[in-house]
PDB file of all heavy atoms in Angstrom:
ATOM      1  N   ASP I 238      26.294  -8.731  21.956  1.00 87.00           N
ATOM      2  CA  ASP I 238      26.144  -8.445  23.374  1.00 87.00           C
ATOM      3  C   ASP I 238      24.885  -9.069  23.998  1.00 87.00           C
ATOM      4  O   ASP I 238      24.028  -8.364  24.516  1.00 87.00           O
ATOM      5  CB  ASP I 238      26.128  -6.912  23.538  1.00 87.00           C
ATOM      6  CG  ASP I 238      26.219  -6.519  25.003  1.00 87.00           C
ATOM      7  OD1 ASP I 238      26.700  -7.343  25.804  1.00 87.00           O
ATOM      8  OD2 ASP I 238      25.794  -5.388  25.335  1.00 87.00           O
ATOM      9  N   PHE I 239      24.730 -10.384  23.931  1.00 88.00           N
ATOM     10  CA  PHE I 239      23.591 -11.031  24.592  1.00 88.00           C
ATOM     11  C   PHE I 239      23.913 -12.516  24.781  1.00 88.00           C
ATOM     12  O   PHE I 239      24.826 -13.049  24.162  1.00 88.00           O
ATOM     13  CB  PHE I 239      22.314 -10.877  23.763  1.00 88.00           C
ATOM     14  CG  PHE I 239      22.368 -11.626  22.455  1.00 88.00           C
ATOM     15  CD1 PHE I 239      21.964 -12.964  22.377  1.00 88.00           C
ATOM     16  CD2 PHE I 239      22.833 -11.007  21.293  1.00 88.00           C
ATOM     17  CE1 PHE I 239      22.031 -13.648  21.167  1.00 88.00           C
ATOM     18  CE2 PHE I 239      22.899 -11.693  20.095  1.00 88.00           C
ATOM     19  CZ  PHE I 239      22.495 -13.024  20.024  1.00 88.00           C
ATOM     20  N   GLU I 240      23.166 -13.138  25.664  1.00 92.00           N
ATOM     21  CA  GLU I 240      23.301 -14.590  25.803  1.00 92.00           C
ATOM     22  C   GLU I 240      22.015 -15.226  25.301  1.00 92.00           C
ATOM     23  O   GLU I 240      20.983 -14.564  25.191  1.00 92.00           O
ATOM     24  CB  GLU I 240      23.542 -14.940  27.261  1.00 92.00           C
ATOM     25  CG  GLU I 240      24.975 -14.647  27.665  1.00 92.00           C
ATOM     26  CD  GLU I 240      25.212 -14.949  29.120  1.00 92.00           C
ATOM     27  OE1 GLU I 240      24.757 -16.022  29.580  1.00 92.00           O
ATOM     28  OE2 GLU I 240      25.833 -14.093  29.771  1.00 92.00           O
ATOM     29  N   TYR I 241      22.067 -16.516  25.011  1.00 94.00           N
ATOM     30  CA  TYR I 241      20.863 -17.183  24.510  1.00 94.00           C
ATOM     31  C   TYR I 241      20.682 -18.525  25.213  1.00 94.00           C
ATOM     32  O   TYR I 241      21.621 -19.057  25.831  1.00 94.00           O
ATOM     33  CB  TYR I 241      20.972 -17.403  22.995  1.00 94.00           C
ATOM     34  CG  TYR I 241      22.107 -18.336  22.612  1.00 94.00           C
ATOM     35  CD1 TYR I 241      21.930 -19.725  22.608  1.00 94.00           C
ATOM     36  CD2 TYR I 241      23.360 -17.818  22.271  1.00 94.00           C
ATOM     37  CE1 TYR I 241      22.963 -20.567  22.283  1.00 94.00           C
ATOM     38  CE2 TYR I 241      24.399 -18.657  21.946  1.00 94.00           C
ATOM     39  CZ  TYR I 241      24.205 -20.038  21.951  1.00 94.00           C
ATOM     40  OH  TYR I 241      25.238 -20.879  21.653  1.00 94.00           O
ATOM     41  N   ARG I 242      19.483 -19.053  25.084  1.00 96.00           N
ATOM     42  CA  ARG I 242      19.237 -20.416  25.590  1.00 96.00           C
ATOM     43  C   ARG I 242      18.112 -21.043  24.768  1.00 96.00           C
ATOM     44  O   ARG I 242      17.256 -20.321  24.214  1.00 96.00           O
ATOM     45  CB  ARG I 242      18.882 -20.398  27.071  1.00 96.00           C
ATOM     46  CG  ARG I 242      17.533 -19.785  27.357  1.00 96.00           C
ATOM     47  CD  ARG I 242      17.165 -19.837  28.829  1.00 96.00           C
ATOM     48  NE  ARG I 242      15.806 -19.361  29.032  1.00 96.00           N
ATOM     49  CZ  ARG I 242      15.259 -19.118  30.201  1.00 96.00           C
ATOM     50  NH1 ARG I 242      15.963 -19.279  31.322  1.00 96.00           N
ATOM     51  NH2 ARG I 242      14.003 -18.711  30.291  1.00 96.00           N
ATOM     52  N   ARG I 244      14.957 -23.648  25.118  1.00 97.00           N
ATOM     53  CA  ARG I 244      14.093 -24.308  26.108  1.00 97.00           C
ATOM     54  C   ARG I 244      13.240 -25.340  25.390  1.00 97.00           C
ATOM     55  O   ARG I 244      12.732 -25.052  24.300  1.00 97.00           O
ATOM     56  CB  ARG I 244      13.127 -23.291  26.695  1.00 97.00           C
ATOM     57  CG  ARG I 244      13.502 -22.687  28.002  1.00 97.00           C
ATOM     58  CD  ARG I 244      12.414 -21.730  28.488  1.00 97.00           C
ATOM     59  NE  ARG I 244      12.067 -20.691  27.523  1.00 97.00           N
ATOM     60  CZ  ARG I 244      10.939 -20.665  26.830  1.00 97.00           C
ATOM     61  NH1 ARG I 244      10.025 -21.646  26.949  1.00 97.00           N
ATOM     62  NH2 ARG I 244      10.696 -19.680  25.986  1.00 97.00           N
ATOM     63  N   ASP I 258      15.421 -18.228  23.575  1.00 93.00           N
ATOM     64  CA  ASP I 258      15.347 -16.966  24.327  1.00 93.00           C
ATOM     65  C   ASP I 258      16.681 -16.238  24.203  1.00 93.00           C
ATOM     66  O   ASP I 258      17.727 -16.877  24.051  1.00 93.00           O
ATOM     67  CB  ASP I 258      15.145 -17.237  25.837  1.00 93.00           C
ATOM     68  CG  ASP I 258      13.834 -17.925  26.137  1.00 93.00           C
ATOM     69  OD1 ASP I 258      12.914 -17.866  25.303  1.00 93.00           O
ATOM     70  OD2 ASP I 258      13.737 -18.553  27.222  1.00 93.00           O
ATOM     71  N   ILE I 259      16.620 -14.923  24.288  1.00 91.00           N
ATOM     72  CA  ILE I 259      17.873 -14.160  24.407  1.00 91.00           C
ATOM     73  C   ILE I 259      17.761 -13.256  25.637  1.00 91.00           C
ATOM     74  O   ILE I 259      16.652 -12.989  26.105  1.00 91.00           O
ATOM     75  CB  ILE I 259      18.189 -13.317  23.145  1.00 91.00           C
ATOM     76  CG1 ILE I 259      17.040 -12.360  22.832  1.00 91.00           C
ATOM     77  CG2 ILE I 259      18.481 -14.210  21.963  1.00 91.00           C
ATOM     78  CD1 ILE I 259      17.356 -11.422  21.676  1.00 91.00           C
ATOM     79  N   THR I 260      18.906 -12.803  26.164  1.00 90.00           N
ATOM     80  CA  THR I 260      18.835 -11.965  27.374  1.00 90.00           C
ATOM     81  C   THR I 260      18.099 -10.663  27.072  1.00 90.00           C
ATOM     82  O   THR I 260      18.235 -10.092  25.994  1.00 90.00           O
ATOM     83  CB  THR I 260      20.242 -11.622  27.933  1.00 90.00           C
ATOM     84  OG1 THR I 260      21.120 -11.397  26.839  1.00 90.00           O
ATOM     85  CG2 THR I 260      20.782 -12.711  28.818  1.00 90.00           C
ATOM     86  N   CYS I 261      17.322 -10.233  28.055  1.00 85.00           N
ATOM     87  CA  CYS I 261      16.480  -9.037  27.891  1.00 85.00           C
ATOM     88  C   CYS I 261      17.344  -7.809  27.600  1.00 85.00           C
ATOM     89  O   CYS I 261      18.325  -7.556  28.291  1.00 85.00           O
ATOM     90  CB  CYS I 261      15.661  -8.824  29.154  1.00 85.00           C
ATOM     91  SG  CYS I 261      14.668  -7.333  29.105  1.00 85.00           S
ATOM     92  N   PHE I 262      16.918  -7.069  26.572  1.00 78.00           N
ATOM     93  CA  PHE I 262      17.693  -5.893  26.158  1.00 78.00           C
ATOM     94  C   PHE I 262      17.579  -4.745  27.133  1.00 78.00           C
ATOM     95  O   PHE I 262      18.465  -3.915  27.243  1.00 78.00           O
ATOM     96  CB  PHE I 262      17.187  -5.395  24.801  1.00 78.00           C
ATOM     97  CG  PHE I 262      17.821  -6.149  23.707  1.00 78.00           C
ATOM     98  CD1 PHE I 262      17.254  -7.306  23.228  1.00 78.00           C
ATOM     99  CD2 PHE I 262      19.023  -5.717  23.195  1.00 78.00           C
ATOM    100  CE1 PHE I 262      17.865  -8.017  22.229  1.00 78.00           C
ATOM    101  CE2 PHE I 262      19.639  -6.424  22.192  1.00 78.00           C
ATOM    102  CZ  PHE I 262      19.065  -7.581  21.710  1.00 78.00           C
ATOM    103  N   ILE I 263      16.430  -4.697  27.802  1.00 76.00           N
ATOM    104  CA  ILE I 263      16.181  -3.561  28.683  1.00 76.00           C
ATOM    105  C   ILE I 263      17.026  -3.688  29.957  1.00 76.00           C
ATOM    106  O   ILE I 263      17.742  -2.771  30.332  1.00 76.00           O
ATOM    107  CB  ILE I 263      14.673  -3.474  29.044  1.00 76.00           C
ATOM    108  CG1 ILE I 263      13.802  -3.559  27.783  1.00 76.00           C
ATOM    109  CG2 ILE I 263      14.372  -2.234  29.874  1.00 76.00           C
ATOM    110  CD1 ILE I 263      13.884  -2.388  26.836  1.00 76.00           C
ATOM    111  N   CYS I 264      16.951  -4.870  30.595  1.00 83.00           N
ATOM    112  CA  CYS I 264      17.610  -4.999  31.904  1.00 83.00           C
ATOM    113  C   CYS I 264      18.906  -5.799  31.820  1.00 83.00           C
ATOM    114  O   CYS I 264      19.558  -6.024  32.839  1.00 83.00           O
ATOM    115  CB  CYS I 264      16.659  -5.659  32.888  1.00 83.00           C
ATOM    116  SG  CYS I 264      16.206  -7.330  32.387  1.00 83.00           S
ATOM    117  N   LYS I 265      19.262  -6.232  30.627  1.00 83.00           N
ATOM    118  CA  LYS I 265      20.474  -7.048  30.412  1.00 83.00           C
ATOM    119  C   LYS I 265      20.477  -8.314  31.276  1.00 83.00           C
ATOM    120  O   LYS I 265      21.523  -8.776  31.738  1.00 83.00           O
ATOM    121  CB  LYS I 265      21.751  -6.237  30.699  1.00 83.00           C
ATOM    122  CG  LYS I 265      21.853  -4.951  29.918  1.00 83.00           C
ATOM    123  CD  LYS I 265      22.461  -5.196  28.547  1.00 83.00           C
ATOM    124  CE  LYS I 265      22.468  -3.930  27.716  1.00 83.00           C
ATOM    125  NZ  LYS I 265      21.940  -4.080  26.386  1.00 83.00           N
ATOM    126  N   GLY I 266      19.298  -8.833  31.558  1.00 83.00           N
ATOM    127  CA  GLY I 266      19.229 -10.119  32.250  1.00 83.00           C
ATOM    128  C   GLY I 266      18.955 -10.044  33.737  1.00 83.00           C
ATOM    129  O   GLY I 266      18.737 -11.071  34.384  1.00 83.00           O
ATOM    130  N   SER I 267      18.910  -8.818  34.288  1.00 88.00           N
ATOM    131  CA  SER I 267      18.723  -8.758  35.740  1.00 88.00           C
ATOM    132  C   SER I 267      17.240  -8.815  36.150  1.00 88.00           C
ATOM    133  O   SER I 267      16.935  -9.008  37.324  1.00 88.00           O
ATOM    134  CB  SER I 267      19.394  -7.497  36.306  1.00 88.00           C
ATOM    135  OG  SER I 267      18.788  -6.360  35.741  1.00 88.00           O
ATOM    136  N   GLY I 268      16.337  -8.657  35.177  1.00 85.00           N
ATOM    137  CA  GLY I 268      14.910  -8.770  35.484  1.00 85.00           C
ATOM    138  C   GLY I 268      14.202  -7.420  35.454  1.00 85.00           C
ATOM    139  O   GLY I 268      14.608  -6.502  36.138  1.00 85.00           O
ATOM    140  N   CYS I 269      13.157  -7.307  34.603  1.00 84.00           N
ATOM    141  CA  CYS I 269      12.386  -6.053  34.547  1.00 84.00           C
ATOM    142  C   CYS I 269      10.968  -6.376  34.088  1.00 84.00           C
ATOM    143  O   CYS I 269      10.623  -7.538  33.860  1.00 84.00           O
ATOM    144  CB  CYS I 269      13.053  -5.048  33.604  1.00 84.00           C
ATOM    145  SG  CYS I 269      12.981  -5.528  31.865  1.00 84.00           S
ATOM    146  N   LYS I 270      10.135  -5.315  33.928  1.00 78.00           N
ATOM    147  CA  LYS I 270       8.730  -5.517  33.564  1.00 78.00           C
ATOM    148  C   LYS I 270       8.609  -6.202  32.194  1.00 78.00           C
ATOM    149  O   LYS I 270       7.771  -7.068  31.998  1.00 78.00           O
ATOM    150  CB  LYS I 270       8.037  -4.147  33.532  1.00 78.00           C
ATOM    151  CG  LYS I 270       6.676  -4.188  34.179  1.00 78.00           C
ATOM    152  CD  LYS I 270       6.103  -2.794  34.303  1.00 78.00           C
ATOM    153  CE  LYS I 270       5.046  -2.573  33.247  1.00 78.00           C
ATOM    154  NZ  LYS I 270       4.569  -1.190  33.185  1.00 78.00           N
ATOM    155  N   ILE I 271       9.446  -5.753  31.240  1.00 75.00           N
ATOM    156  CA  ILE I 271       9.350  -6.259  29.870  1.00 75.00           C
ATOM    157  C   ILE I 271       9.576  -7.779  29.815  1.00 75.00           C
ATOM    158  O   ILE I 271       8.843  -8.502  29.134  1.00 75.00           O
ATOM    159  CB  ILE I 271      10.380  -5.534  28.957  1.00 75.00           C
ATOM    160  CG1 ILE I 271      10.072  -4.039  28.892  1.00 75.00           C
ATOM    161  CG2 ILE I 271      10.421  -6.135  27.551  1.00 75.00           C
ATOM    162  CD1 ILE I 271       8.775  -3.662  28.201  1.00 75.00           C
ATOM    163  N   CYS I 272      10.578  -8.264  30.552  1.00 82.00           N
ATOM    164  CA  CYS I 272      10.863  -9.715  30.518  1.00 82.00           C
ATOM    165  C   CYS I 272      10.152 -10.445  31.657  1.00 82.00           C
ATOM    166  O   CYS I 272      10.462 -11.594  31.945  1.00 82.00           O
ATOM    167  CB  CYS I 272      12.369  -9.961  30.567  1.00 82.00           C
ATOM    168  SG  CYS I 272      13.167  -9.333  32.053  1.00 82.00           S
ATOM    169  N   LYS I 273       9.200  -9.768  32.244  1.00 85.00           N
ATOM    170  CA  LYS I 273       8.447 -10.322  33.380  1.00 85.00           C
ATOM    171  C   LYS I 273       9.395 -10.832  34.467  1.00 85.00           C
ATOM    172  O   LYS I 273       9.208 -11.916  35.027  1.00 85.00           O
ATOM    173  CB  LYS I 273       7.510 -11.442  32.905  1.00 85.00           C
ATOM    174  CG  LYS I 273       6.390 -10.944  32.002  1.00 85.00           C
ATOM    175  CD  LYS I 273       5.333 -12.030  31.831  1.00 85.00           C
ATOM    176  CE  LYS I 273       4.343 -11.678  30.771  1.00 85.00           C
ATOM    177  NZ  LYS I 273       3.991 -12.808  29.925  1.00 85.00           N
ATOM    178  N   TYR I 274      10.432 -10.099  34.706  1.00 91.00           N
ATOM    179  CA  TYR I 274      11.427 -10.368  35.758  1.00 91.00           C
ATOM    180  C   TYR I 274      12.152 -11.700  35.599  1.00 91.00           C
ATOM    181  O   TYR I 274      12.681 -12.248  36.549  1.00 91.00           O
ATOM    182  CB  TYR I 274      10.780 -10.235  37.150  1.00 91.00           C
ATOM    183  CG  TYR I 274      10.188  -8.853  37.320  1.00 91.00           C
ATOM    184  CD1 TYR I 274       8.840  -8.625  37.095  1.00 91.00           C
ATOM    185  CD2 TYR I 274      11.001  -7.773  37.619  1.00 91.00           C
ATOM    186  CE1 TYR I 274       8.291  -7.342  37.181  1.00 91.00           C
ATOM    187  CE2 TYR I 274      10.482  -6.481  37.710  1.00 91.00           C
ATOM    188  CZ  TYR I 274       9.129  -6.281  37.482  1.00 91.00           C
ATOM    189  OH  TYR I 274       8.616  -5.009  37.558  1.00 91.00           O
ATOM    190  N   SER I 275      12.171 -12.239  34.361  1.00 91.00           N
ATOM    191  CA  SER I 275      12.890 -13.500  34.151  1.00 91.00           C
ATOM    192  C   SER I 275      14.297 -13.235  33.602  1.00 91.00           C
ATOM    193  O   SER I 275      15.170 -14.097  33.665  1.00 91.00           O
ATOM    194  CB  SER I 275      12.137 -14.381  33.153  1.00 91.00           C
ATOM    195  OG  SER I 275      12.237 -13.806  31.854  1.00 91.00           O
ATOM    196  N   GLY I 276      14.512 -12.058  33.033  1.00 90.00           N
ATOM    197  CA  GLY I 276      15.812 -11.763  32.429  1.00 90.00           C
ATOM    198  C   GLY I 276      15.926 -12.290  31.005  1.00 90.00           C
ATOM    199  O   GLY I 276      16.901 -12.026  30.306  1.00 90.00           O
ATOM    200  N   TRP I 277      14.901 -13.044  30.528  1.00 91.00           N
ATOM    201  CA  TRP I 277      14.949 -13.653  29.190  1.00 91.00           C
ATOM    202  C   TRP I 277      13.766 -13.215  28.332  1.00 91.00           C
ATOM    203  O   TRP I 277      12.671 -13.002  28.849  1.00 91.00           O
ATOM    204  CB  TRP I 277      14.910 -15.179  29.295  1.00 91.00           C
ATOM    205  CG  TRP I 277      16.104 -15.776  29.968  1.00 91.00           C
ATOM    206  CD1 TRP I 277      16.182 -16.180  31.276  1.00 91.00           C
ATOM    207  CD2 TRP I 277      17.374 -16.039  29.386  1.00 91.00           C
ATOM    208  NE1 TRP I 277      17.434 -16.674  31.540  1.00 91.00           N
ATOM    209  CE2 TRP I 277      18.192 -16.606  30.397  1.00 91.00           C
ATOM    210  CE3 TRP I 277      17.926 -15.845  28.111  1.00 91.00           C
ATOM    211  CZ2 TRP I 277      19.521 -16.985  30.165  1.00 91.00           C
ATOM    212  CZ3 TRP I 277      19.240 -16.230  27.890  1.00 91.00           C
ATOM    213  CH2 TRP I 277      20.029 -16.794  28.907  1.00 91.00           C
ATOM    214  N   LEU I 278      13.978 -13.139  27.017  1.00 87.00           N
ATOM    215  CA  LEU I 278      12.891 -12.851  26.083  1.00 87.00           C
ATOM    216  C   LEU I 278      12.860 -13.924  25.003  1.00 87.00           C
ATOM    217  O   LEU I 278      13.893 -14.252  24.408  1.00 87.00           O
ATOM    218  CB  LEU I 278      13.123 -11.486  25.421  1.00 87.00           C
ATOM    219  CG  LEU I 278      13.016 -10.280  26.356  1.00 87.00           C
ATOM    220  CD1 LEU I 278      13.581  -9.036  25.681  1.00 87.00           C
ATOM    221  CD2 LEU I 278      11.575 -10.036  26.775  1.00 87.00           C
ATOM    222  N   GLU I 279      11.659 -14.450  24.758  1.00 90.00           N
ATOM    223  CA  GLU I 279      11.537 -15.510  23.751  1.00 90.00           C
ATOM    224  C   GLU I 279      11.547 -14.868  22.361  1.00 90.00           C
ATOM    225  O   GLU I 279      10.850 -13.882  22.124  1.00 90.00           O
ATOM    226  CB  GLU I 279      10.209 -16.232  23.994  1.00 90.00           C
ATOM    227  CG  GLU I 279       9.908 -17.287  22.985  1.00 90.00           C
ATOM    228  CD  GLU I 279       8.408 -17.438  22.774  1.00 90.00           C
ATOM    229  OE1 GLU I 279       7.653 -17.361  23.764  1.00 90.00           O
ATOM    230  OE2 GLU I 279       8.009 -17.613  21.609  1.00 90.00           O
ATOM    231  N   ILE I 280      12.355 -15.407  21.441  1.00 92.00           N
ATOM    232  CA  ILE I 280      12.349 -14.805  20.100  1.00 92.00           C
ATOM    233  C   ILE I 280      11.801 -15.709  19.001  1.00 92.00           C
ATOM    234  O   ILE I 280      11.405 -15.223  17.951  1.00 92.00           O
ATOM    235  CB  ILE I 280      13.727 -14.229  19.672  1.00 92.00           C
ATOM    236  CG1 ILE I 280      14.801 -15.300  19.596  1.00 92.00           C
ATOM    237  CG2 ILE I 280      14.147 -13.082  20.565  1.00 92.00           C
ATOM    238  CD1 ILE I 280      16.036 -14.822  18.810  1.00 92.00           C
ATOM    239  N   ARG I 312       7.697  -8.929  16.898  1.00 91.00           N
ATOM    240  CA  ARG I 312       8.364  -9.222  18.158  1.00 91.00           C
ATOM    241  C   ARG I 312       9.878  -9.003  18.052  1.00 91.00           C
ATOM    242  O   ARG I 312      10.505  -8.394  18.924  1.00 91.00           O
ATOM    243  CB  ARG I 312       8.058 -10.671  18.545  1.00 91.00           C
ATOM    244  CG  ARG I 312       8.588 -11.029  19.886  1.00 91.00           C
ATOM    245  CD  ARG I 312       8.015 -12.307  20.454  1.00 91.00           C
ATOM    246  NE  ARG I 312       8.688 -12.562  21.724  1.00 91.00           N
ATOM    247  CZ  ARG I 312       8.367 -11.966  22.855  1.00 91.00           C
ATOM    248  NH1 ARG I 312       7.362 -11.106  22.876  1.00 91.00           N
ATOM    249  NH2 ARG I 312       9.046 -12.206  23.956  1.00 91.00           N
ATOM    250  N   LEU I 316      11.957  -6.117  20.174  1.00 88.00           N
ATOM    251  CA  LEU I 316      13.097  -6.389  21.051  1.00 88.00           C
ATOM    252  C   LEU I 316      14.329  -5.610  20.621  1.00 88.00           C
ATOM    253  O   LEU I 316      15.095  -5.123  21.432  1.00 88.00           O
ATOM    254  CB  LEU I 316      13.420  -7.893  21.057  1.00 88.00           C
ATOM    255  CG  LEU I 316      12.288  -8.793  21.533  1.00 88.00           C
ATOM    256  CD1 LEU I 316      12.724 -10.236  21.561  1.00 88.00           C
ATOM    257  CD2 LEU I 316      11.828  -8.358  22.922  1.00 88.00           C
TER     258      LEU I 316
END
Side-chain angles (χ1 to χ4, degrees):
D238 190 22
F239 67 88
E240 283 178 45
Y241 64 85
R242 69 177 186 189
R244 262 182 305 107
D258 296 340
I259 57 175
T260 38
C261 176
F262 276 89
I263 310 292
C264 62
K265 305 275 176 229
S267 62
C269 69
K270 223 172 104 188
I271 297 293
C272 61
K273 293 193 190 139
Y274 302 97
S275 71
W277 295 99
L278 293 167
E279 176 211 321
I280 62 164
R312 185 165 177 80
L316 300 183

